[in-house]
Amino acid sequence: MHLIQKFRKILKRKGIDLLINILSLFIVVSFLFGIYIYEYEDKNFIDTLYYLFTTATTVGYGDISPQTDLGKILSIFYMVVSIALLGVIIGIFTEQFIAKLEKRKKGNIRMKKNIDLMILGYPSEDKIREIVTQLRGHSSWEYKTIVCVTDNLHERPIWFESLNIEFKKGVASLKDVLIDAGIMNTKTALILAQDANNVKSDDYTSSISLVIETINKDVRTIVEKVREDDTLFQACNADVITRVLSPHVLAQEVLYKGAIQLQNEMFDNTTKTSQINQEIKEDITWGELAIKLIKENKIPEGYLLKGEDQFNLSPKFEDTISAGSLIKFRGQL
């Protein structure tokens, strides 16, 4: 009775200690029984090992069996003990595996590996999905680690699995949540505005940026803002501050530093340079034209042939541009 109670207490223990104890007992029992089979049943090492495994796993082919009376009695004992111990070992493995899957599903994870991108905030499923899809489409990002931190989800969505996104549930501005999510091993943090039409969203995103700056200054932070000025986020030392943007541009900024700056230079009329369209007067190759523009401190971008509807923004050096066509370049007005 005392032994049964003690065994029940052991079964109540969780984790690696119980597994090690049970596994050690299984190995000791198998080793001792194996010595008897090897020495007194006249079996070689391979036959002994084969017999131990087929017996413990209840396969029992019957092609190898003990011939002595003591061997048969010990086999009965080994069957009972090994099958019970092996069942407990498999049960512990299964329980731990299911518990880990459940924790991952609920977002109760503690990330220990290096993280290439941490997405903080969850404005919509479509935006997150498109950002990650854009990144996964790039060969260098196919297997990189991406973690999404938000308290807007109850559990990890099924589509996270298809895009290989880890999920950490919690308020992203809390230090403990960020540390569990792996911020100490993160390269880039993309902080998204929760509501593109509400300035109060900036309070949350700026607090996330500030906490990250406080605990790990090496993280490159890209922060979306709703308000016009950058003062709040400059105070948080955010690396890239931008208005709410499309998923495509945000993914480009993660892939290539300066993508947002380039877009601002191209489309913001308050910057030093602007996009300019100009009609050319004579036939010329794109290569010759590009060299000419560069010498004039202008940046060639593409051309629209006369009579066509779409600009060619990926021109080849040898392309011929006919007179009357439009060329697009950036330069000072």
Side-chain angles (χ1 to χ4, degrees):
M1 192 69 181
H2 175 70
L3 290 175
I4 294 175
Q5 291 176 349
K6 194 170 183 179
F7 186 66
R8 285 177 177 173
K9 287 182 179 179
I10 292 175
L11 289 178
K12 290 180 180 178
R13 293 173 56 190
K14 301 292 183 181
I16 193 66
D17 289 340
L18 175 60
L19 181 60
I20 290 175
N21 290 338
I22 299 296
L23 188 58
S24 299
L25 182 58
F26 175 74
I27 292 172
V28 170
V29 171
S30 297
F31 178 75
L32 294 175
F33 182 62
I35 290 176
Y36 178 85
I37 296 295
Y38 183 82
E39 291 290 341
Y40 298 101
E41 293 291 338
D42 196 26
K43 306 296 182 186
N44 60 36
F45 176 77
I46 297 299
D47 285 344
T48 300
L49 189 64
Y50 172 75
Y51 178 68
L52 291 175
F53 270 90
T54 55
T55 302
T57 56
T58 71
V59 175
Y61 290 114
D63 50 343
I64 296 177
S65 60
Q67 301 302 312
T68 66
D69 291 340
L70 180 58
K72 293 175 182 178
I73 292 172
L74 290 176
S75 291
I76 294 172
F77 173 78
Y78 181 70
M79 288 177 195
V80 174
V81 174
S82 64
I83 292 171
L85 292 178
L86 194 59
V88 173
I89 292 170
I90 294 172
I92 293 172
F93 269 116
T94 303
E95 181 183 358
Q96 294 296 317
F97 180 72
I98 293 175
K100 189 172 182 179
L101 287 179
E102 189 64 20
K103 285 180 67 176
R104 188 172 181 233
K105 181 179 179 181
K106 296 296 182 182
N108 299 322
I109 59 171
R110 185 177 178 86
M111 297 293 296
K112 297 180 180 179
K113 56 186 176 180
N114 292 331
I115 296 168
D116 297 285
L117 175 65
M118 184 178 292
I119 301 175
L120 304 117
Y122 198 88
S124 69
E125 175 185 319
D126 290 341
K127 186 161 188 173
I128 302 294
R129 187 196 292 265
E130 185 58 29
I131 289 172
V132 179
T133 299
Q134 290 279 336
L135 292 173
R136 293 299 188 209
H138 197 276
S139 58
S140 65
W141 273 76
E142 188 174 357
Y143 300 108
K144 289 194 174 184
T145 304
I146 299 175
V147 178
C148 180
V149 183
T150 178
D151 60 342
N152 289 352
L153 297 173
H154 296 295
E155 58 184 39
R156 187 172 186 251
I158 295 175
W159 64 270
F160 269 36
E161 188 71 38
S162 62
L163 289 174
N164 194 19
I165 306 173
E166 294 295 341
F167 167 52
K168 174 61 184 175
K169 183 174 176 59
V171 178
S173 59
L174 295 179
K175 178 181 177 181
D176 290 344
V177 172
L178 288 173
I179 291 176
D180 282 349
I183 196 65
M184 303 307 294
N185 302 313
T186 297
K187 293 180 181 179
T188 303
L190 178 59
I191 308 172
L192 303 176
Q194 291 292 99
D195 186 347
N197 300 309
N198 190 344
V199 176
K200 290 183 178 180
S201 291
D202 289 347
D203 297 335
Y204 182 51
T205 50
S206 62
S207 64
I208 297 173
S209 180
L210 183 59
V211 175
I212 292 176
E213 176 67 18
T214 302
I215 60 181
N216 188 359
K217 295 182 179 180
D218 294 331
V219 178
R220 177 174 177 252
T221 50
I222 305 168
V223 187
E224 281 189 324
K225 66 182 178 91
V226 179
R227 64 188 67 202
E228 291 294 328
D229 65 282
D230 295 346
T231 307
L232 178 62
F233 295 97
Q234 288 172 347
C236 301
N237 289 324
D239 295 295
V240 180
I241 307 166
T242 179
R243 65 186 186 279
V244 177
L245 291 174
S246 69
H248 175 76
V249 178
L250 291 170
Q252 285 293 308
E253 181 62 36
V254 172
L255 288 168
Y256 308 110
K257 292 181 180 180
I260 291 175
Q261 180 184 354
L262 175 61
Q263 178 177 264
N264 291 338
E265 287 286 336
M266 292 175 63
F267 299 110
D268 191 341
N269 291 327
T270 63
T271 58
K272 294 181 180 179
T273 61
S274 298
Q275 279 199 14
I276 300 172
N277 290 348
Q278 180 178 307
E279 183 178 326
I280 62 171
K281 305 300 182 182
E282 57 184 2
D283 293 356
I284 190 172
T285 66
W286 174 254
E288 293 172 330
L289 179 60
I291 293 172
K292 181 179 178 181
L293 289 170
I294 291 171
K295 287 181 178 179
E296 297 174 359
N297 296 318
K298 298 171 182 176
I299 303 174
E301 293 179 341
Y303 62 85
L304 174 65
L305 293 178
K306 188 175 182 180
E308 294 190 356
D309 298 324
Q310 296 289 328
F311 271 91
N312 182 351
L313 299 178
S314 301
K316 297 180 180 179
F317 192 85
E318 65 274 10
D319 287 355
T320 299
I321 307 172
S322 56
S325 299
L326 287 179
I327 59 169
K328 183 183 287 291
F329 62 89
R330 277 193 296 125
Q332 294 185 355
L333 292 170

